[in-house]
Amino acid sequence: MNSFLLASLTLIASLVIPVQTVRAQMMGHGGAVRAMAVSADGKSLLSGGFDTAAIRWSLASESAEQVLRFHSDAVNAVGFLRDRRMVTAGADARIAIWTAGRQQPDTVLLGHDAPVVAFAVSPDGAMIASASWDHSVRLWSLIDGAQRVLEGHSQNVNGVAFAPDGKSLVSVGYDLALRIWHLPDASGETIVLPAPLNAVVIASDGEIVTGAADGKLHLLSAGGKDRGEVAAGTMPVVALAISGDGALIAAACVDGVVTIVDRKTRAVLRTLVRSAVPVWSVAFLPDSEILLTGGADGKIRRWNVRTGEPIGSNLLGTPTDPLAAYAGDPGAEVFRACVACHTLSEKDTQRAGPTLAGIYGRKIASLPSYRFSDALKTMEIVWTPDTVAKLFEIGPNAYTPGTKMPEQRIGSAEDRRALTDFLGRATAK
C-alpha cells in the first residue's frame, strides 16, 4: 500500500522524548513518519506521523524540542514558512499554522472536507497550496486569509508544488493527471500519465518530477513536455525529494526501497540499504550530502547520499520479516505490497491500516479498534475471497468510494486468487 494510506493510530497519552546522542536516528513518533521538512538554515526538522503528532527536532542534538498536538488524525504534511513558523496538515482535513514554543496553532485553515495529504508554500511566502482527497486544490493567502478552490481532478489529489517563479502550480492525483495551473487565472494544461500519481516536486530550473504507482519517476519540462522516465523500483513511489543543489532526486517506494537518481543523466546512482521497514517520507539536508528517511517504525534515519550507507551504529536494527514464515508462497509475495500497512494477526503491533486478522466474514468498517472513514460505515460489504478480489480488480476508489486506502489494482486474476487464498490461510483465527 502506498504513502497515501492515511490512518489514525492510538494517541499516546503522554510523550517523553529523551535527547538522542547517537547522531544517527531520531525516535519519538508512535507510528509511521508520514512527512518531514528541514528548515532553510538546516538547524531544525519538522516531522509528522500517523500517531497524530508533529515533532520539531534540533538536528544538532537530535532531540525533540516541541511536540505539536492538534490534529485528530494522521499528520500527512509539514513545512516551514519564511518567518520560521510551521505548517501541519492532516487527515482531519485541517491545516494549522504554528509559532515555535506555542502549544496551540496561531491559525487553522478550514475548507477541505477530506484528508489533506500535501501542501506547498509559494516562493514569496505569501500563499499555501494544499492537495486533498476531496479532489481539489486550494490556495490560501497568508496575508488576508482568502482562499480559492481549484477543481479539475476527478480523483484524490496527492501532491502539489509551486514553480520556482511562483507563476504556476502543479498538482498530481490518482486520476493519472498532472495539471499545470497558471496563476492567477488558473488556466493551464493537463498531462495524462500511465499510472496513478502520488507525489510531485519541482526543481529550481522548473523541471517537474512526479512519482507514480508503477514505481516510475516521470520528468517533464515546466510546460509539461515529456523529458523521460526512470524506474525507481517495482512498488509505488510514495515520497520524493530534490537535493538543495538540484542534482539528485530521492524516491521512496512503499516496500522500503529508497533510490537516489541523478537528475541530469536520469541514471539510478544507488539504492539505500534495505531494512524491511517501509519508508513514507524523505528529505535532504541543505548540504545535499545527507538524506533523512521516515520509517513505518516511527524512526527518522540519516543516510550518506554518496555511499548509500546508513550513518550511525545500529541504524537499521534487525527487523523481522513478517512474511518470513511464508517464503515461497505466491500469495504472500502479492501481499508483500500490503504488509507496510496491515498485519495478519491482531497480536502484532498495529500499523497504518486495520489488522486483517479474521477478515473473512467481517463486515466492512466494523473492526472496533480502528477509525474508519465515515463513507465506509454505511456500506454493506462483507469481506470474502470474492469481495477482496473485486476490490483489487476494479480498485478501492470504485469499489469502496470514500476509502482512505490508496488506489491500486491487481490486474492478474491468478494473482488475485493467490492473494485471497493466502489471506484465508494466514488470517484465520
Side-chain angles (χ1 to χ4, degrees):
M1 309 282 175
N2 69 20
S3 82
F4 296 99
L5 182 56
L6 306 171
S8 174
L9 300 182
T10 303
L11 181 61
I12 301 175
S14 61
L15 181 61
V16 179
I17 306 172
V19 173
Q20 305 298 315
T21 59
V22 297
R23 298 184 62 79
Q25 59 186 9
M26 287 162 273
M27 297 178 289
H29 282 289
V33 182
R34 173 68 181 85
M36 295 187 296
V38 177
S39 62
D41 60 11
K43 295 181 179 180
S44 299
L45 170 71
L46 187 62
S47 60
F50 281 131
D51 60 357
T52 77
I55 302 177
R56 177 170 58 87
W57 305 85
S58 164
L59 285 170
S61 65
E62 295 190 339
S63 61
E65 297 184 316
Q66 184 179 4
V67 179
L68 310 177
R69 294 199 179 281
F70 167 73
H71 294 282
S72 60
D73 211 329
V75 178
N76 299 319
V78 296
F80 289 93
L81 298 177
R82 297 176 76 181
D83 59 6
R84 289 193 58 81
R85 288 191 299 165
M86 300 167 288
V87 184
T88 60
D92 59 4
R94 298 185 291 180
I95 302 170
I97 300 175
W98 305 76
T99 294
R102 295 183 181 175
Q103 296 303 308
Q104 293 297 320
D106 303 334
T107 306
V108 178
L109 305 179
L110 301 175
H112 285 296
D113 57 16
V116 180
V117 295
F119 68 79
V121 181
S122 63
D124 63 3
M127 185 182 303
I128 291 174
S130 56
S132 172
W133 281 13
D134 62 10
H135 304 182
S136 78
V137 173
R138 285 182 182 251
L139 297 174
W140 312 82
S141 171
L142 296 176
I143 298 173
D144 60 12
Q147 63 173 285
R148 180 181 181 188
V149 182
L150 304 182
E151 296 180 311
H153 283 280
S154 61
Q155 293 189 37
N156 299 348
V157 187
N158 292 327
V160 65
F162 279 99
D165 60 7
K167 294 181 179 179
S168 62
L169 182 74
V170 174
S171 59
V172 299
Y174 282 156
D175 56 1
L176 317 184
L178 181 149
R179 297 183 66 92
I180 300 175
W181 310 85
H182 300 299
L183 305 176
D185 63 358
S187 62
E189 298 81 40
T190 299
I191 297 91
V192 178
L193 293 170
L197 305 174
N198 295 327
V200 63
V201 291
I202 301 180
S204 58
D205 60 7
E207 184 168 71
I208 301 166
V209 184
T210 183
D214 59 4
K216 293 180 179 178
L217 306 183
H218 297 273
L219 298 98
L220 303 93
S221 70
K225 300 298 183 182
D226 179 26
R227 285 187 171 178
E229 63 182 41
V230 180
T234 59
M235 301 298 293
V237 175
V238 294
L240 291 175
I242 289 183
S243 60
D245 59 12
L248 303 175
I249 304 165
C253 295
V254 74
D255 58 353
V257 171
V258 179
T259 302
I260 305 297
V261 175
D262 184 301
R263 191 165 66 89
K264 182 177 180 180
T265 64
R266 313 307 201 215
V268 174
L269 298 180
R270 60 194 57 85
T271 299
L272 302 189
V273 178
R274 289 189 58 177
S275 65
V277 176
V279 172
W280 292 98
S281 53
V282 288
F284 283 98
L285 294 190
D287 62 7
S288 302
E289 297 293 325
I290 295 175
L291 182 75
L292 304 177
T293 61
D297 57 0
K299 296 180 181 180
I300 299 169
R301 296 177 168 88
R302 294 186 186 230
W303 302 80
N304 184 312
V305 172
R306 302 301 167 183
T307 67
E309 295 297 322
I311 296 174
S313 61
N314 300 317
L315 181 64
L316 296 178
T318 55
T320 302
D321 180 357
L323 298 179
Y326 304 100
D329 188 314
E333 289 308 306
V334 178
F335 181 75
R336 192 168 290 280
C338 312
V339 77
C341 300
H342 298 282
T343 65
L344 296 168
S345 169
E346 58 189 6
K347 297 178 181 179
D348 295 331
T349 301
Q350 184 176 336
R351 297 183 183 144
T355 181
L356 302 184
I359 185 173
Y360 288 158
R362 188 167 74 211
K363 184 177 180 291
I364 189 172
S366 64
L367 193 68
S369 60
Y370 187 81
R371 182 186 297 167
F372 291 91
S373 304
D374 289 340
L376 301 188
K377 296 176 182 178
T378 63
M379 297 180 183
E380 298 300 324
I381 296 171
V382 174
W383 293 120
T384 66
D386 288 341
T387 55
V388 170
K390 193 67 174 180
L391 173 73
F392 289 108
E393 179 183 1
I394 67 174
N397 280 338
Y399 193 60
T400 53
T403 182
K404 293 179 180 179
M405 184 176 176
E407 182 65 11
Q408 55 190 302
R409 300 181 183 89
I410 299 174
S412 164
E414 182 179 354
D415 284 349
R416 293 195 298 271
R417 189 178 308 109
L419 174 64
T420 56
D421 289 349
F422 168 74
L423 290 176
R425 297 191 304 274
T427 67
K429 292 185 177 182

